[in-house]
Amino acid sequence: MSLELDPQHERAIDDLIARLSWEEKLAQLQIAYRPRFEDAAALVRSGIGAVFWPGDADRTNELQRVAREESAHGIPVLVGLDVIHGQYTIFPTPLAQAASFDPEVAAMDARTSAAEAASGGVTWTFSPMIDVSPDPRWGRIVEGFGEDPWLNAVFGAAKVRGYQGDLGAGTLLACAKHYVAYGLAEGGRDYNTVDASEYRLRNGAAEPFRVAVEAGVASVMASFNTVAGRPMHANRRWLTEVLKTEWAHAGLVVGDADGVVQLVPHGVAATEADAVALALTAGLDVEMGGHVIASDGRAVVTEADVPLARIDDAVRRVLRLKFARGLMTDPFVDAGAEVRVPSSETLAAAREAARRCPVLLANDGTLPIAPTASVLVVGPYAESTDHLGTWTQSFAAKSGSLVDALRAAMPEGRVTSLPGAQFFRRDPAGQVEAVRAARQHDVVIVAVGEPSSLSGEASSRSDLTLTGDQADLIHSIAATGVPFAVVLVTGRPLIMSEWIDAAPSVLLAWHLGTQGPQAIADLLLGVVSPGGKLPVSIPRSVGQIPVTYDHENTGRPPRIRGQLEHVEIDVAVVGPGNTDDYYTSKYLDLDLGPQFAFGHGLSYSTFEISAPVIPSPVVDAATVATEGVRVTATVTNTGEVTADEVVQLYVRDVVASLARPVRRLRGMRRVTLAPGASTRVEFTLGAHDLGFWGDGPTAELIVEPGEFEVHVGGSVQSTRVASLTVR
Ligand code: NOJ
């Protein structure tokens, strides 16, 4: 897809711009945010450029009719909506999708969501969110693709392509958000301040946006936070110099809801009018909220506040999207073909996606459950139907419960359920009853987690343990000696240290959408084997945050007892252990490393991954840039069942002019293998994989000569290494 228009359309845009008054131009730069229908119609009549609207064919057609027939210039409106992980058929949350390590999951969600939402007249989604986040306290970690910039970039680009397709009927204009560094909020508190160097941002939070622009994303949303004292809605450096000039973003830059007028409480604008002027001048094109044109139709800024050329450029970007998406030719949808409920195909796609996302953290052999076993399901997630996850519309197709799904999949009379614990209070009597019942069953599933209302926007938490008496329930069931497995249904990574040693089998199931419970049942019963991997490191305690695998080494990396021959240990990459050295980078009261490392995930089989083979291990920088470096590895299913493994490739630049991360994910392949089968996977490392953005005054991707370690394995902790030299 391309935002490039043919010359005839560019001329049509010139003509339109020439005919619009100053007020009419500014009206194109405004999104009416969640208006009542009557108000939306009136605003459209007065020439507003976009409406935030949930999408139903009759009413969006009516809005487009008003735009075409009753507004002064007949320009159709963009109809925007947060279609985040499904419209009617809900897919796993984005963080769960990242755990599939399979970008096709995100693409399938995006194509399905686009078809469903577009059938009701939506033309623009405020998705994907590609905010790199190292902090599970931040409730919005659920909306992005985890802690790793490369994973966010790959999944973000897959979503952009999936939504936008060829920009024909049934597609949506995408919006990469939130630009930039929203996920780095201090303390994990939503909307909070960020201060980060350009070196860190370009190699981290900004990189997925550069890649989204490369993939042709139609719009980019400014984030609510400041970066180094400059609120992003008025940040000329990042909005204009980097995004539009350096990266050549041809689409829109849109403000977040009321983000422009929030420049007043940020303390950089005295009035809302000043805020609008600051934002538009800095390079923001469209305001979400309705503060550019006052309710009496007057523009709040004049040409003395914002140069005409800047406004014309912003209007051109809006009109370009309307042409590119075909609205100028035909803004209407066929109300007879509107989708209002999932089809059997979309449900099958959602189930397949949901099966690929859970991560088997630990297993003592209790899983999978024998189909003939008698099963007790306890915990608040036994009967809860809260599986959709944050950011779904009220009309989305609901899920059933885990116990319903297990009953449907198992012979009659084998599945019993009892709550045994509560999300928000303690239920000692219920727990006693659950323990008594456990003794009468072959196996217990303890279905616990975090309700979806506790993650998402404005839902940061300072305590990431299980709420209510859920942890007690795990201990009580463990004390019975009956085999059991914990199923953890959650938006964000939780702290597990309170109970993890008592729980030898744990399936991290996330919020998986409309078909979540069926998918969890499929995995518990071994219909398919879990194959997901962690897109975030799971901390041991809140005090350890941020703990990410791609940290720099420090000058005093700890050494692990018993391994003192090693000069250094990569803190977030090692397993548990403690250090003998006092003056090293560690906590006195905590084991080194995360509870579960990035990339970790078991299956019902076992795999052997060979050491990486680099046929040409000495290359020059020019060859890296043109041909790349080939790396292969062989993966073998050494177990008894067909299962998936994700072969992961990490790079380490051993000596560089700037401190580099101890590992950087640069490749992944998810493969399905029958017992005994093997396959060879191949990766090509290019300049972006071996190089990094320097810290000079102009952006430069540097590939420095020297040694690189290339690690390949089934998680960041279990890799085998080969050496590569760039001359
Ligand atoms: C605020 C959120 O930050 C953003 O992600 C969303 O798209 C807008 N609200 C619109 O609902």
Side-chain angles (χ1 to χ4, degrees), residues 33-34 52 81-82 84 126-127 129 140 143 177-178 182 190-191 221 224 255-257 288 391 457:
Y33 188 54
R34 299 181 189 272
F52 186 98
L81 185 69
D82 294 296
I84 307 296
F126 301 116
S127 175
M129 186 181 111
R140 300 196 80 171
E143 288 180 63
K177 70 187 190 185
H178 307 82
Y182 185 38
D190 208 1
Y191 316 124
M221 186 187 288
F224 285 129
D256 201 341
M288 188 188 300
W391 271 125
E457 189 173 348

PDB file of all heavy atoms in Angstrom, residues 33-34 52 81-82 84 126-127 129 140 143 177-178 182 190-191 221 224 255-257 288 391 457, ligand 1:
ATOM      1  N   TYR A  33     -14.570  14.076  19.011  1.00  0.00           N
ATOM      2  CA  TYR A  33     -14.278  12.894  19.829  1.00  0.00           C
ATOM      3  C   TYR A  33     -15.534  12.411  20.537  1.00  0.00           C
ATOM      4  O   TYR A  33     -16.090  13.128  21.365  1.00  0.00           O
ATOM      5  CB  TYR A  33     -13.176  13.250  20.838  1.00  0.00           C
ATOM      6  CG  TYR A  33     -12.664  12.061  21.605  1.00  0.00           C
ATOM      7  CD1 TYR A  33     -12.204  10.936  20.932  1.00  0.00           C
ATOM      8  CD2 TYR A  33     -12.637  12.063  22.986  1.00  0.00           C
ATOM      9  CE1 TYR A  33     -11.728   9.833  21.625  1.00  0.00           C
ATOM     10  CE2 TYR A  33     -12.161  10.966  23.695  1.00  0.00           C
ATOM     11  CZ  TYR A  33     -11.712   9.854  23.005  1.00  0.00           C
ATOM     12  OH  TYR A  33     -11.252   8.770  23.694  1.00  0.00           O
ATOM     13  N   ARG A  34     -15.985  11.238  20.212  1.00  0.00           N
ATOM     14  CA  ARG A  34     -17.141  10.592  20.824  1.00  0.00           C
ATOM     15  C   ARG A  34     -18.378  11.501  20.900  1.00  0.00           C
ATOM     16  O   ARG A  34     -18.997  11.623  21.963  1.00  0.00           O
ATOM     17  CB  ARG A  34     -16.813  10.117  22.251  1.00  0.00           C
ATOM     18  CG  ARG A  34     -15.686   9.094  22.326  1.00  0.00           C
ATOM     19  CD  ARG A  34     -15.461   8.687  23.781  1.00  0.00           C
ATOM     20  NE  ARG A  34     -14.267   7.879  23.945  1.00  0.00           N
ATOM     21  CZ  ARG A  34     -14.232   6.546  23.821  1.00  0.00           C
ATOM     22  NH1 ARG A  34     -15.313   5.882  23.549  1.00  0.00           N
ATOM     23  NH2 ARG A  34     -13.092   5.898  23.994  1.00  0.00           N
ATOM     24  N   PHE A  52     -14.853  10.539  15.542  1.00  0.00           N
ATOM     25  CA  PHE A  52     -14.586   9.307  16.278  1.00  0.00           C
ATOM     26  C   PHE A  52     -15.938   8.643  16.477  1.00  0.00           C
ATOM     27  O   PHE A  52     -16.808   9.184  17.169  1.00  0.00           O
ATOM     28  CB  PHE A  52     -13.956   9.667  17.628  1.00  0.00           C
ATOM     29  CG  PHE A  52     -13.508   8.488  18.433  1.00  0.00           C
ATOM     30  CD1 PHE A  52     -12.180   8.090  18.431  1.00  0.00           C
ATOM     31  CD2 PHE A  52     -14.407   7.776  19.210  1.00  0.00           C
ATOM     32  CE1 PHE A  52     -11.753   7.009  19.185  1.00  0.00           C
ATOM     33  CE2 PHE A  52     -13.991   6.687  19.955  1.00  0.00           C
ATOM     34  CZ  PHE A  52     -12.661   6.307  19.938  1.00  0.00           C
ATOM     35  N   LEU A  81     -11.768   5.017  14.987  1.00  0.00           N
ATOM     36  CA  LEU A  81     -12.177   4.239  16.158  1.00  0.00           C
ATOM     37  C   LEU A  81     -10.977   3.445  16.679  1.00  0.00           C
ATOM     38  O   LEU A  81     -10.090   3.075  15.910  1.00  0.00           O
ATOM     39  CB  LEU A  81     -13.302   3.270  15.766  1.00  0.00           C
ATOM     40  CG  LEU A  81     -13.928   2.465  16.913  1.00  0.00           C
ATOM     41  CD1 LEU A  81     -14.727   3.375  17.845  1.00  0.00           C
ATOM     42  CD2 LEU A  81     -14.848   1.369  16.385  1.00  0.00           C
ATOM     43  N   ASP A  82     -10.987   3.156  17.971  1.00  0.00           N
ATOM     44  CA  ASP A  82      -9.969   2.265  18.529  1.00  0.00           C
ATOM     45  C   ASP A  82     -10.370   0.817  18.240  1.00  0.00           C
ATOM     46  O   ASP A  82     -11.108   0.213  19.022  1.00  0.00           O
ATOM     47  CB  ASP A  82      -9.849   2.470  20.045  1.00  0.00           C
ATOM     48  CG  ASP A  82      -9.320   3.843  20.396  1.00  0.00           C
ATOM     49  OD1 ASP A  82      -8.165   4.129  20.037  1.00  0.00           O
ATOM     50  OD2 ASP A  82     -10.060   4.628  21.015  1.00  0.00           O
ATOM     51  N   ILE A  84      -8.628  -2.309  18.372  1.00  0.00           N
ATOM     52  CA  ILE A  84      -7.287  -2.611  18.883  1.00  0.00           C
ATOM     53  C   ILE A  84      -6.920  -4.081  18.688  1.00  0.00           C
ATOM     54  O   ILE A  84      -5.853  -4.404  18.186  1.00  0.00           O
ATOM     55  CB  ILE A  84      -7.186  -2.228  20.379  1.00  0.00           C
ATOM     56  CG1 ILE A  84      -7.624  -0.777  20.597  1.00  0.00           C
ATOM     57  CG2 ILE A  84      -5.777  -2.475  20.912  1.00  0.00           C
ATOM     58  CD1 ILE A  84      -6.779   0.271  19.945  1.00  0.00           C
ATOM     59  N   PHE A 126      -7.092   3.518  15.453  1.00  0.00           N
ATOM     60  CA  PHE A 126      -5.973   4.039  16.235  1.00  0.00           C
ATOM     61  C   PHE A 126      -5.187   2.848  16.783  1.00  0.00           C
ATOM     62  O   PHE A 126      -5.179   2.561  17.979  1.00  0.00           O
ATOM     63  CB  PHE A 126      -6.483   4.984  17.320  1.00  0.00           C
ATOM     64  CG  PHE A 126      -7.255   6.132  16.721  1.00  0.00           C
ATOM     65  CD1 PHE A 126      -8.600   6.302  16.975  1.00  0.00           C
ATOM     66  CD2 PHE A 126      -6.624   7.007  15.844  1.00  0.00           C
ATOM     67  CE1 PHE A 126      -9.308   7.340  16.380  1.00  0.00           C
ATOM     68  CE2 PHE A 126      -7.326   8.049  15.246  1.00  0.00           C
ATOM     69  CZ  PHE A 126      -8.673   8.213  15.516  1.00  0.00           C
ATOM     70  N   SER A 127      -4.546   2.150  15.911  1.00  0.00           N
ATOM     71  CA  SER A 127      -3.807   0.933  16.208  1.00  0.00           C
ATOM     72  C   SER A 127      -2.835   0.724  15.046  1.00  0.00           C
ATOM     73  O   SER A 127      -3.169   1.119  13.922  1.00  0.00           O
ATOM     74  CB  SER A 127      -4.793  -0.239  16.322  1.00  0.00           C
ATOM     75  OG  SER A 127      -4.130  -1.458  16.490  1.00  0.00           O
ATOM     76  N   MET A 129      -0.559  -0.091  18.670  1.00  0.00           N
ATOM     77  CA  MET A 129       0.265   0.521  19.699  1.00  0.00           C
ATOM     78  C   MET A 129       1.597  -0.229  19.730  1.00  0.00           C
ATOM     79  O   MET A 129       1.610  -1.442  19.885  1.00  0.00           O
ATOM     80  CB  MET A 129      -0.404   0.430  21.075  1.00  0.00           C
ATOM     81  CG  MET A 129       0.396   1.214  22.114  1.00  0.00           C
ATOM     82  SD  MET A 129      -0.280   1.157  23.768  1.00  0.00           S
ATOM     83  CE  MET A 129       0.994   0.179  24.564  1.00  0.00           C
ATOM     84  N   ARG A 140      -0.805  -0.089  30.441  1.00  0.00           N
ATOM     85  CA  ARG A 140      -0.925  -0.187  28.990  1.00  0.00           C
ATOM     86  C   ARG A 140       0.115  -1.110  28.379  1.00  0.00           C
ATOM     87  O   ARG A 140       0.151  -1.261  27.159  1.00  0.00           O
ATOM     88  CB  ARG A 140      -0.875   1.204  28.357  1.00  0.00           C
ATOM     89  CG  ARG A 140      -1.993   2.090  28.853  1.00  0.00           C
ATOM     90  CD  ARG A 140      -2.210   3.308  28.007  1.00  0.00           C
ATOM     91  NE  ARG A 140      -2.985   3.002  26.816  1.00  0.00           N
ATOM     92  CZ  ARG A 140      -3.463   3.929  25.982  1.00  0.00           C
ATOM     93  NH1 ARG A 140      -3.224   5.210  26.214  1.00  0.00           N
ATOM     94  NH2 ARG A 140      -4.158   3.588  24.911  1.00  0.00           N
ATOM     95  N   GLU A 143      -1.257  -3.367  25.843  1.00  0.00           N
ATOM     96  CA  GLU A 143      -1.664  -2.933  24.503  1.00  0.00           C
ATOM     97  C   GLU A 143      -0.535  -2.971  23.482  1.00  0.00           C
ATOM     98  O   GLU A 143      -0.756  -2.722  22.299  1.00  0.00           O
ATOM     99  CB  GLU A 143      -2.192  -1.508  24.560  1.00  0.00           C
ATOM    100  CG  GLU A 143      -3.534  -1.364  25.213  1.00  0.00           C
ATOM    101  CD  GLU A 143      -3.958   0.102  25.223  1.00  0.00           C
ATOM    102  OE1 GLU A 143      -4.125   0.674  24.143  1.00  0.00           O
ATOM    103  OE2 GLU A 143      -4.083   0.660  26.317  1.00  0.00           O
ATOM    104  N   LYS A 177       1.019   4.233  17.384  1.00  0.00           N
ATOM    105  CA  LYS A 177       0.957   5.098  18.570  1.00  0.00           C
ATOM    106  C   LYS A 177       1.724   4.429  19.710  1.00  0.00           C
ATOM    107  O   LYS A 177       1.963   3.219  19.638  1.00  0.00           O
ATOM    108  CB  LYS A 177      -0.501   5.351  18.953  1.00  0.00           C
ATOM    109  CG  LYS A 177      -1.233   4.119  19.524  1.00  0.00           C
ATOM    110  CD  LYS A 177      -2.704   4.405  19.707  1.00  0.00           C
ATOM    111  CE  LYS A 177      -3.354   3.283  20.494  1.00  0.00           C
ATOM    112  NZ  LYS A 177      -4.814   3.432  20.606  1.00  0.00           N
ATOM    113  N   HIS A 178       2.140   5.159  20.723  1.00  0.00           N
ATOM    114  CA  HIS A 178       2.046   6.597  20.926  1.00  0.00           C
ATOM    115  C   HIS A 178       3.463   7.109  20.819  1.00  0.00           C
ATOM    116  O   HIS A 178       4.336   6.639  21.548  1.00  0.00           O
ATOM    117  CB  HIS A 178       1.468   6.926  22.287  1.00  0.00           C
ATOM    118  CG  HIS A 178       0.151   6.228  22.550  1.00  0.00           C
ATOM    119  ND1 HIS A 178       0.048   4.941  22.982  1.00  0.00           N
ATOM    120  CD2 HIS A 178      -1.146   6.657  22.429  1.00  0.00           C
ATOM    121  CE1 HIS A 178      -1.226   4.587  23.134  1.00  0.00           C
ATOM    122  NE2 HIS A 178      -1.981   5.598  22.801  1.00  0.00           N
ATOM    123  N   TYR A 182       6.051   6.705  25.267  1.00  0.00           N
ATOM    124  CA  TYR A 182       4.945   6.668  26.231  1.00  0.00           C
ATOM    125  C   TYR A 182       5.122   5.511  27.220  1.00  0.00           C
ATOM    126  O   TYR A 182       4.766   5.612  28.393  1.00  0.00           O
ATOM    127  CB  TYR A 182       3.663   6.523  25.427  1.00  0.00           C
ATOM    128  CG  TYR A 182       2.353   6.565  26.174  1.00  0.00           C
ATOM    129  CD1 TYR A 182       2.139   7.424  27.245  1.00  0.00           C
ATOM    130  CD2 TYR A 182       1.299   5.753  25.758  1.00  0.00           C
ATOM    131  CE1 TYR A 182       0.914   7.467  27.880  1.00  0.00           C
ATOM    132  CE2 TYR A 182       0.068   5.794  26.382  1.00  0.00           C
ATOM    133  CZ  TYR A 182      -0.120   6.647  27.457  1.00  0.00           C
ATOM    134  OH  TYR A 182      -1.333   6.681  28.079  1.00  0.00           O
ATOM    135  N   ASP A 190       0.822   5.962  34.463  1.00  0.00           N
ATOM    136  CA  ASP A 190       0.361   6.386  33.135  1.00  0.00           C
ATOM    137  C   ASP A 190       0.451   7.908  32.980  1.00  0.00           C
ATOM    138  O   ASP A 190       0.184   8.648  33.923  1.00  0.00           O
ATOM    139  CB  ASP A 190      -1.076   5.909  32.879  1.00  0.00           C
ATOM    140  CG  ASP A 190      -1.329   5.711  31.381  1.00  0.00           C
ATOM    141  OD1 ASP A 190      -0.393   5.930  30.582  1.00  0.00           O
ATOM    142  OD2 ASP A 190      -2.448   5.323  31.010  1.00  0.00           O
ATOM    143  N   TYR A 191       0.792   8.319  31.787  1.00  0.00           N
ATOM    144  CA  TYR A 191       0.922   9.726  31.361  1.00  0.00           C
ATOM    145  C   TYR A 191       2.151  10.416  31.946  1.00  0.00           C
ATOM    146  O   TYR A 191       2.352  11.603  31.736  1.00  0.00           O
ATOM    147  CB  TYR A 191      -0.321  10.572  31.739  1.00  0.00           C
ATOM    148  CG  TYR A 191      -1.651   9.904  31.475  1.00  0.00           C
ATOM    149  CD1 TYR A 191      -2.593   9.734  32.495  1.00  0.00           C
ATOM    150  CD2 TYR A 191      -1.983   9.442  30.195  1.00  0.00           C
ATOM    151  CE1 TYR A 191      -3.817   9.128  32.250  1.00  0.00           C
ATOM    152  CE2 TYR A 191      -3.209   8.832  29.946  1.00  0.00           C
ATOM    153  CZ  TYR A 191      -4.119   8.670  30.980  1.00  0.00           C
ATOM    154  OH  TYR A 191      -5.333   8.070  30.740  1.00  0.00           O
ATOM    155  N   MET A 221       0.348   8.720  16.057  1.00  0.00           N
ATOM    156  CA  MET A 221      -0.274   9.507  17.133  1.00  0.00           C
ATOM    157  C   MET A 221       0.780   9.986  18.132  1.00  0.00           C
ATOM    158  O   MET A 221       1.599   9.192  18.591  1.00  0.00           O
ATOM    159  CB  MET A 221      -1.324   8.662  17.869  1.00  0.00           C
ATOM    160  CG  MET A 221      -2.124   9.447  18.903  1.00  0.00           C
ATOM    161  SD  MET A 221      -3.223   8.401  19.901  1.00  0.00           S
ATOM    162  CE  MET A 221      -4.492   7.993  18.724  1.00  0.00           C
ATOM    163  N   PHE A 224       1.090  11.297  25.170  1.00  0.00           N
ATOM    164  CA  PHE A 224       0.727  12.259  26.210  1.00  0.00           C
ATOM    165  C   PHE A 224       1.932  12.792  26.998  1.00  0.00           C
ATOM    166  O   PHE A 224       1.838  13.814  27.651  1.00  0.00           O
ATOM    167  CB  PHE A 224      -0.214  11.588  27.222  1.00  0.00           C
ATOM    168  CG  PHE A 224      -1.634  11.388  26.739  1.00  0.00           C
ATOM    169  CD1 PHE A 224      -2.243  10.140  26.836  1.00  0.00           C
ATOM    170  CD2 PHE A 224      -2.379  12.444  26.239  1.00  0.00           C
ATOM    171  CE1 PHE A 224      -3.558   9.947  26.445  1.00  0.00           C
ATOM    172  CE2 PHE A 224      -3.701  12.266  25.842  1.00  0.00           C
ATOM    173  CZ  PHE A 224      -4.296  11.023  25.937  1.00  0.00           C
ATOM    174  N   GLY A 255      -3.097  14.070  17.145  1.00  0.00           N
ATOM    175  CA  GLY A 255      -2.974  14.208  18.600  1.00  0.00           C
ATOM    176  C   GLY A 255      -3.776  13.118  19.296  1.00  0.00           C
ATOM    177  O   GLY A 255      -4.733  12.583  18.742  1.00  0.00           O
ATOM    178  N   ASP A 256      -3.399  12.805  20.522  1.00  0.00           N
ATOM    179  CA  ASP A 256      -4.212  11.885  21.319  1.00  0.00           C
ATOM    180  C   ASP A 256      -5.372  12.694  21.921  1.00  0.00           C
ATOM    181  O   ASP A 256      -5.386  13.927  21.862  1.00  0.00           O
ATOM    182  CB  ASP A 256      -3.344  11.220  22.399  1.00  0.00           C
ATOM    183  CG  ASP A 256      -3.970   9.919  22.908  1.00  0.00           C
ATOM    184  OD1 ASP A 256      -5.189   9.731  22.716  1.00  0.00           O
ATOM    185  OD2 ASP A 256      -3.255   9.109  23.514  1.00  0.00           O
ATOM    186  N   ALA A 257      -6.345  12.004  22.508  1.00  0.00           N
ATOM    187  CA  ALA A 257      -7.566  12.665  22.978  1.00  0.00           C
ATOM    188  C   ALA A 257      -7.234  13.822  23.931  1.00  0.00           C
ATOM    189  O   ALA A 257      -6.688  13.589  25.014  1.00  0.00           O
ATOM    190  CB  ALA A 257      -8.465  11.651  23.663  1.00  0.00           C
ATOM    191  N   MET A 288      -7.359  15.737  18.221  1.00  0.00           N
ATOM    192  CA  MET A 288      -8.484  14.884  18.615  1.00  0.00           C
ATOM    193  C   MET A 288      -9.147  15.511  19.832  1.00  0.00           C
ATOM    194  O   MET A 288      -8.510  15.636  20.878  1.00  0.00           O
ATOM    195  CB  MET A 288      -7.982  13.475  18.966  1.00  0.00           C
ATOM    196  CG  MET A 288      -9.130  12.492  19.194  1.00  0.00           C
ATOM    197  SD  MET A 288      -8.638  10.870  19.846  1.00  0.00           S
ATOM    198  CE  MET A 288      -7.554  10.215  18.625  1.00  0.00           C
ATOM    199  N   TRP A 391      -9.817  -2.656  26.031  1.00  0.00           N
ATOM    200  CA  TRP A 391     -10.059  -2.052  24.709  1.00  0.00           C
ATOM    201  C   TRP A 391     -10.920  -2.879  23.798  1.00  0.00           C
ATOM    202  O   TRP A 391     -10.487  -3.277  22.703  1.00  0.00           O
ATOM    203  CB  TRP A 391      -8.768  -1.785  23.966  1.00  0.00           C
ATOM    204  CG  TRP A 391      -8.166  -0.459  24.222  1.00  0.00           C
ATOM    205  CD1 TRP A 391      -6.895  -0.246  24.658  1.00  0.00           C
ATOM    206  CD2 TRP A 391      -8.745   0.850  24.065  1.00  0.00           C
ATOM    207  NE1 TRP A 391      -6.660   1.098  24.802  1.00  0.00           N
ATOM    208  CE2 TRP A 391      -7.772   1.795  24.448  1.00  0.00           C
ATOM    209  CE3 TRP A 391     -10.000   1.320  23.663  1.00  0.00           C
ATOM    210  CZ2 TRP A 391      -7.993   3.166  24.431  1.00  0.00           C
ATOM    211  CZ3 TRP A 391     -10.217   2.682  23.647  1.00  0.00           C
ATOM    212  CH2 TRP A 391      -9.220   3.581  24.023  1.00  0.00           C
ATOM    213  N   GLU A 457      -5.554   1.608  29.867  1.00  0.00           N
ATOM    214  CA  GLU A 457      -5.250   3.026  30.098  1.00  0.00           C
ATOM    215  C   GLU A 457      -5.594   3.448  31.533  1.00  0.00           C
ATOM    216  O   GLU A 457      -6.625   3.037  32.080  1.00  0.00           O
ATOM    217  CB  GLU A 457      -6.011   3.894  29.100  1.00  0.00           C
ATOM    218  CG  GLU A 457      -5.549   5.336  29.189  1.00  0.00           C
ATOM    219  CD  GLU A 457      -6.129   6.249  28.121  1.00  0.00           C
ATOM    220  OE1 GLU A 457      -6.721   5.748  27.156  1.00  0.00           O
ATOM    221  OE2 GLU A 457      -5.982   7.480  28.269  1.00  0.00           O
TER     222      GLU A 457
HETATM  223  C1  NOJ B   1      -6.533   7.882  24.495  1.00  0.00           C
HETATM  224  C2  NOJ B   1      -5.555   6.784  24.215  1.00  0.00           C
HETATM  225  O1  NOJ B   1      -4.282   7.125  24.734  1.00  0.00           O
HETATM  226  C3  NOJ B   1      -5.396   6.447  22.747  1.00  0.00           C
HETATM  227  O2  NOJ B   1      -4.623   5.283  22.643  1.00  0.00           O
HETATM  228  C4  NOJ B   1      -6.726   6.273  22.085  1.00  0.00           C
HETATM  229  O3  NOJ B   1      -6.552   5.955  20.717  1.00  0.00           O
HETATM  230  C5  NOJ B   1      -7.522   7.559  22.249  1.00  0.00           C
HETATM  231  N1  NOJ B   1      -7.718   7.818  23.666  1.00  0.00           N
HETATM  232  C6  NOJ B   1      -8.869   7.508  21.553  1.00  0.00           C
HETATM  233  O4  NOJ B   1      -9.767   6.754  22.249  1.00  0.00           O
END
